[in-house]
Amino acid sequence: MFRRRESVPFSFVAEADRFRSNVTPPPRPRSTVSERAGSALVCLAVVAGLAGALLLGLPALAPEESPAHSQQTEAAHAR
């Protein structure tokens, strides 16, 4: 019913963190000019979007300037 797990010696567990493979992975293929241009365009679009959002959002974040005189309704003048 229950299967016993094999015990692992402690020294094996301790050395597992220091184990390094002597097999080196293959070098990454160089990106082509079109791939670099595409990634540059994507970066440019992201930066332009953030700059546009900042420019469009600044008027909403600016504090409102109160007018020099307070506006009153005609009903307030009748009193």
Side-chain angles (χ1 to χ4, degrees), residues 38-65:
S39 63
L41 285 175
V42 168
C43 291
L44 184 65
V46 168
V47 170
L50 290 173
L54 184 65
L55 288 175
L56 292 176
L58 279 178
L61 294 174
E64 293 185 32
E65 295 181 18

Side-chain angles (χ1 to χ4, degrees), residues 2-74:
F2 294 106
R3 298 176 69 181
R4 287 183 61 176
R5 294 179 57 187
E6 293 183 18
S7 62
V8 177
F10 181 76
S11 62
F12 176 76
V13 175
E15 291 175 5
D17 293 335
R18 292 181 289 168
F19 177 74
R20 303 250 182 205
S21 175
N22 60 355
V23 178
T24 58
R28 293 179 61 189
R30 297 195 71 143
S31 60
T32 62
V33 175
S34 61
E35 288 175 342
R36 280 186 267 163
S39 63
L41 285 175
V42 168
C43 291
L44 184 65
V46 168
V47 170
L50 290 173
L54 184 65
L55 288 175
L56 292 176
L58 279 178
L61 294 174
E64 293 185 32
E65 295 181 18
S66 60
H69 63 282
S70 61
Q71 294 178 353
Q72 295 180 353
T73 62
E74 291 181 15

